[in-house]
Amino acid sequence: MQQTLFIVIDGIDGAGSTLHSKLLAGFLSLKGLKIHLTQEPSNSEIGKLLRNFLKDDKIPPSTDALLFAADRDLHYRNEIKMKLEEGYIVISDRYIESSIIYQSCQSEKITIEWVKNLNKFAGKPDLTIILDIDPKMSLARKNQKDLEKFEDISFLEQVRKLYITRAKEEGYFIINTDDIIELVQEKIQQFVLNKLKVKGIQVKE
Ligand code: TYD
């Protein structure tokens, strides 16, 4: 029987967590594994509200933190936990680490401990992969008229620093995505395949 694994791909805006989550899901499916791909903000009503709030800089950071935590609580209970119990490997494009980093960078009053506490009912991932890129590079590729509230160079520099510091402290796998997509994806795949091997999860050659 397939054992499960909860994988999170997280990181700074523009580093490619959505793209690499999809590519990884496709690769693992071809290896014969049951994969469930999901993302945050989730597809719940709270998730939809959060997507609107990303365009609105009048929303207080504390409201963002509370709503992201509520969205995650539902997402974990109603989807992730269920899929893991059904034997799927779950890949989430963003998770608790996004809240810890973005919301604590939004306001000095928001501490990492408080964000962790708000999120304490959401199950921990088995594997966290942090994608890193220089925000000057990623923002240059975006349409400047269409930026969300977090897509600001100095804010993202702060976000980037905290992602790296925490990733080192927590032992997360950090990967720079300032390279050819296929090469970055291959490194992610090798890392995940090793973890699957360690867990005794069989994959097709
Ligand atoms: P995402 O849709 O991944 O951004 P994009 O597709 O534009 O790269 O994520 C939306 C934004 O929400 C992103 O700037 C990070 C932010 N975010 C938080 O601030 N806290 C959270 O808990 C999550 C999940 C995302």
Side-chain angles (χ1 to χ4, degrees), residues 145-205:
K145 279 188 289 187
D146 221 21
L147 295 181
E148 290 174 344
K149 68 181 173 190
F150 298 138
E151 293 173 326
D152 161 87
I153 290 268
S154 62
F155 179 74
L156 286 181
E157 302 266 358
Q158 203 189 333
V159 161
R160 183 186 196 194
K161 237 168 121 181
L162 190 55
Y163 262 121
I164 301 297
T165 307
R166 274 197 41 88
K168 286 182 182 157
E169 279 169 14
E170 300 289 325
Y172 299 148
F173 182 58
I174 310 170
I175 181 155
N176 192 285
T177 61
D178 172 17
D179 206 340
I180 300 164
I181 290 169
E182 287 77 6
L183 292 182
V184 173
Q185 176 60 204
E186 209 181 300
K187 285 186 198 164
I188 295 174
Q189 290 170 1
Q190 282 314 318
F191 174 72
V192 173
L193 284 177
N194 281 338
K195 291 290 164 184
L196 291 172
K197 205 169 162 190
V198 170
K199 265 215 129 190
I201 301 176
Q202 306 248 318
V203 295
K204 274 199 261 181
E205 284 306 316

Side-chain angles (χ1 to χ4, degrees), residues 46 49-50 53 56-72 99-112 114-119 149-150 155:
I46 305 174
L49 186 66
L50 276 165
F53 283 2
D56 187 346
D57 53 18
K58 287 188 279 309
I59 304 298
S62 48
T63 302
D64 278 334
L66 292 163
L67 286 176
F68 275 117
D71 183 44
R72 182 163 301 118
S99 281
I100 291 178
I101 307 288
Y102 279 82
Q103 276 62 66
S104 75
C105 285
Q106 270 183 287
S107 160
E108 277 177 11
K109 288 190 193 147
I110 297 187
T111 63
I112 290 177
W114 183 64
V115 179
K116 278 189 183 167
N117 239 324
L118 284 182
N119 285 277
K149 68 181 173 190
F150 298 138
F155 179 74

